Amino acid sequence: MGIFICLFSGKSIKLFRNSHTHSQLIIHTLSKHIMSHSTVVTSAPKENVWIGGRSPYNVSYGKMMMWFFLLSDALTFGALLISYGTTRFFSAVWPDPNEVFKAFPFMHGSAPLLFVSLMTFILIMSSVTMVLAVHAGHYGDKKAVAKWLLWTIIGGICFLACQAWEWTHLHGELGGLWGTFTDPNTPVSSFHHFFNHHTAGHVLETQPLVAMQATHNFFNYFFTITGFHGGHVTSGVVFNILILVNTVNGVYERRGHYEMVEKIGLYWHFVDLVWVFVFTCFYLL
């Protein structure tokens, strides 16, 4: 009986040892399979867009540089307009836009801000045609790009022509220009028509030199800022002409994209946006 128990116990121990070894083998095999699988998954290298070769922002180098230029240009226009606003704020009186800008070509009588409203409309419409040119470029439509670029150029030239007339009128008929109204002996009758007499009449009578200094500052800022903006419009028209010539010659068609149209479009929209602030500061406030 004792021998039988010993034999049975020995066989049980042996079976237990065999099953335990088999379990360890299965666990070891599964572990190797899982580790090899995870190695395969994690060993695939991730693409690092910051190591160079292409922009991590999915923007071309030329377009990014255009944005940097526009940012610096916005700071310049901002500094000029802030300087204008500060000078006006600390002035006792200031020329009234409704009195200064009330002429319209080939019309007699008073039409306050009508002409500059027409200028603004022309420039905004040229921005619309620029959008259509960029949109056509995305679809590779060469004829449509050329057509809308041409309309944009026409709009820019019309705006510059209007600005040239306005400058000529202000200087030729009203006597305003850079550096004018500095002589203390200038009679009040030379600049009193720039002011609203309901709000500035007292200063014109008692402190004419203060009113003359305000007129001097107004025209200096006006011709400087609108001239600076007009220079941007002129350069934009020139750039658009160059882009139009390249479009007609099929340069961008051969490249397979019209990114140059989009870049000059950014510049043109910026010029239009700046005019909104110039228009507000000089003509509305």
Side-chain angles (χ1 to χ4, degrees), residues 230-260:
H232 281 69
V233 176
T234 303
S235 61
V237 169
V238 173
F239 292 149
N240 274 319
I241 291 174
L242 295 176
I243 299 299
L244 175 61
V245 171
N246 286 341
T247 301
V248 173
N249 290 334
V251 174
Y252 308 125
E253 192 175 35
R254 289 191 294 272
R255 290 181 184 177
H257 60 81
Y258 286 81
E259 186 177 310
M260 282 300 298

Side-chain angles (χ1 to χ4, degrees), residues 167 169-178 180-181 194 215 219 223:
W167 277 31
H169 170 74
L170 290 175
H171 175 58
E173 298 185 26
L174 303 181
L177 199 63
W178 285 285
T180 53
F181 303 105
F194 298 133
T215 306
F219 281 113
F223 283 106

